[in-house]
Amino acid sequence: QSKILDNNTPDDETVITVVDGTFSVCSGEMSEDSTPSTSNRSKAMFTVSDINIAVKRSEVLCIVGPVGCGKSTLCQGLIGDVPSGATELEIKGKVAYASQTPFILNATLRENILFGNEYNKVKYEQVLEECCLILDLDQ
């Protein structure tokens, strides 16, 4: 079962846990109670299995490998976009995912940066600075 907990955790506490993870991209329709188990793997176009991860707060996890090995499927499984058959899948805190394909709202730059969050002048200006957009906006 997967669960996302929004709480503050100490730096030495594990914030992402996957035990015996299996994530499948399916070609057929799956029922709501389906998981990527042996019984419905025949419907799966692609399955990533035997994933065990434990990431502590402030650690950086890089998922690398050749084209087609399941990096995107794993990432999508961690954020809940792909069904999971993990024995345990737990994420404490907030999750962000930057897809390989950029997603830009048909809106203002500010709305794309805020993405529905409340405006905070200091944070907003910091994002503009970090993204090297100040010079572009001054033109």
Side-chain angles (χ1 to χ4, degrees), residues 32-87:
E32 287 182 19
D33 59 347
S34 293
T35 58
S37 64
T38 307
S39 62
N40 61 14
R41 274 201 187 135
S42 60
K43 297 179 184 178
M45 291 176 12
F46 188 80
T47 300
V48 178
S49 58
D50 300 322
I51 304 296
N52 293 286
I53 301 171
V55 181
K56 293 183 179 183
R57 186 176 190 86
S58 300
E59 284 186 329
V60 175
L61 171 66
C62 295
I63 300 171
V64 298
V67 172
C69 72
K71 300 178 298 289
S72 294
T73 301
L74 173 57
C75 289
Q76 290 172 330
L78 291 174
I79 63 171
D81 282 353
V82 170
S84 166
T87 302

Side-chain angles (χ1 to χ4, degrees), residues 117-135:
N117 290 310
E118 188 175 315
Y119 176 74
N120 176 313
K121 184 176 176 34
V122 173
K123 281 186 176 181
Y124 179 75
E125 289 178 356
Q126 182 181 5
V127 168
L128 293 176
E129 179 70 33
E130 295 293 328
C131 293
C132 301
L133 291 171
I134 301 293
L135 290 175

Side-chain angles (χ1 to χ4, degrees), residues 5 7-15 57 92-93:
L5 308 172
N7 64 352
N8 294 323
T9 56
D11 284 349
D12 63 343
E13 186 174 342
T14 302
V15 293
R57 186 176 190 86
K92 296 179 182 176

